[in-house]
Amino acid sequence: MDSGQKYERAKMRIAVYAFDGVTMFHLSVPQMVFDEVARQGLAGWTTVLFSDQEGGITTAEGYRLGEVEGPAAAKEADIVVVPSWFDDGRMLSGALRQVLQGAHGRGAPILGLCLGAIPVADAGLLAGRRAVTHWQAFDSLAARHPDVPLDQSVLYIDHGDVLTSAGTASALDACLHVVRARLGAEAANQVARSLVIAPHREGGQAQYIEHPVPQRSSDDPISRLLEWSLARLGEPLTIDRLAAQAHLSRRTFVRAFRAATGTTPAAWIRARRLDAARRLLETTDLSIEQISADCGFGNAVTLRQNFAAAFSTTPTDYRRRFDARHA
């Protein structure tokens, strides 16, 4: 199959909800990321703005946007995005409820970015399921939907049919994740490079709650350790070895590592090894056994177990879908 055929087969329509008072940033993020997929020639993705009724909306910055379509524009969308929500936290309208429930019912993923998790929960799509939203809305959302467990340790949570993301810029991470899940790591990296943003960030927003995190320089021992580790993913990287490399005691190292990355050393190493495995699956014909060894999983069984847990697929199926050598 040539690249033109792949492009045609990968067409997708993404409907983004627009409303009076939405910020330009929140509204533009899904359009910027998903439209870049088409601009880079990776797939035929298009975005459309819709609202409760056809016409125009006024953004928080005072800009008037015309040519906003009505709810019908989302009826055949492959993905529906609520990029934020009203500052007063109002209940969602009947029109939007029908859009979200209807799209979800026909199998279209629903993305509630930042405060957009609120109307997604109101639509009944998050009952009993982990979710995340902007940390400032945690208490109000928890009180409104006590059946929705909230997790401040992550930037986004993807259940496959419903995705929520943390505050503001985390929408970029979530949208890149969608690109990665649909088109592969290389496509997501290409989009990220074009937009000059990180293709993948670690940790959650807990580090931003109530106290800022100091900027970390290249002289920081954890920063140096991360670079050192990336060059040695195929080697044993125990906590004791990492702590010794950082010249820190084990306890101090674990605490400093979590403060810097928002996660544990083991989880960070595992994620980086999986990233490396995906790149090798996409760009080489190395065997699964060789990739397992090169990325530090030791054997193919361990790689398959971790790969399935992280991506709900096998390395072989992933390679079949995202093989960049025949794009």
Side-chain angles (χ1 to χ4, degrees), residues 158-222:
D158 185 7
H159 293 288
D161 59 328
V162 178
L163 178 151
T164 54
S165 75
T168 316
S170 300
L172 288 165
D173 301 282
C175 290
L176 276 175
H177 164 75
V178 173
V179 176
R180 189 181 303 111
R182 297 270 177 155
L183 301 176
E186 284 300 310
N189 289 345
Q190 185 171 333
V191 170
R193 283 194 300 269
S194 179
L195 298 178
V196 198
I197 56 179
H200 184 78
R201 290 194 298 155
E202 289 297 327
Q205 59 183 339
Q207 56 189 315
Y208 299 108
I209 299 176
E210 298 300 336
H211 58 277
V213 172
Q215 293 292 321
R216 311 188 77 87
S217 71
S218 59
D219 293 331
D220 181 86
I222 300 300

Side-chain angles (χ1 to χ4, degrees), residues 52-314:
D52 294 311
Q53 56 188 9
E54 186 177 356
I57 61 106
T58 302
T59 71
E61 296 81 6
Y63 298 113
R64 183 68 181 173
L65 300 182
E67 304 300 326
V68 176
E69 300 190 36
K75 285 188 176 179
E76 296 183 359
D78 299 290
I79 293 177
V80 176
V81 183
V82 184
S84 186
W85 196 236
F86 296 91
D87 288 341
D88 60 12
R90 69 189 66 176
M91 291 293 295
L92 80 168
S93 64
L96 182 58
R97 181 185 298 274
Q98 290 182 0
V99 166
L100 297 181
Q101 293 179 342
H104 184 261
R106 68 171 187 273
I110 308 299
L111 276 57
L113 307 179
C114 194
L115 297 181
I118 295 173
V120 174
D122 288 346
L125 305 183
L126 289 173
R129 311 173 81 183
R130 288 173 60 243
V132 63
T133 187
H134 194 291
W135 63 268
Q136 290 178 324
F138 262 53
D139 290 344
S140 59
L141 182 55
R144 187 152 150 176
H145 294 285
D147 59 339
V148 178
L150 297 177
D151 187 347
Q152 67 185 30
S153 69
V154 292
L155 295 176
Y156 53 83
I157 296 173
D158 185 7
H159 293 288
D161 59 328
V162 178
L163 178 151
T164 54
S165 75
T168 316
S170 300
L172 288 165
D173 301 282
C175 290
L176 276 175
H177 164 75
V178 173
V179 176
R180 189 181 303 111
R182 297 270 177 155
L183 301 176
E186 284 300 310
N189 289 345
Q190 185 171 333
V191 170
R193 283 194 300 269
S194 179
L195 298 178
V196 198
I197 56 179
H200 184 78
R201 290 194 298 155
E202 289 297 327
Q205 59 183 339
Q207 56 189 315
Y208 299 108
I209 299 176
E210 298 300 336
H211 58 277
V213 172
Q215 293 292 321
R216 311 188 77 87
S217 71
S218 59
D219 293 331
D220 181 86
I222 300 300
S223 297
R224 292 196 304 270
L225 177 73
L226 297 182
E227 294 182 8
W228 180 88
S229 300
L230 288 174
R232 295 167 175 81
L233 293 176
E235 303 175 11
L237 295 173
T238 64
I239 290 181
D240 287 336
R241 185 184 181 191
L242 295 173
Q245 179 64 30
H247 304 292
L248 297 171
S249 70
R250 181 187 175 100
R251 172 180 285 186
T252 300
F253 166 70
V254 171
R255 184 168 58 247
F257 194 95
R258 180 176 285 279
T261 67
T263 190
T264 65
W268 188 89
I269 292 294
R270 182 170 59 251
R272 301 291 70 74
R273 284 173 167 160
L274 286 169
D275 285 344
R278 286 196 294 181
R279 285 193 293 273
L280 291 176
L281 288 167
E282 293 177 9
T283 60
T284 76
D285 59 1
L286 293 175
S287 68
I288 303 301
E289 289 74 15
Q290 186 62 55
I291 291 175
S292 302
D294 291 348
C295 296
F297 288 103
N299 58 69
V301 172
T302 302
L303 171 60
R304 291 189 180 100
Q305 290 173 340
N306 281 273
F307 209 90
F311 310 123
S312 300
T313 190
T314 66

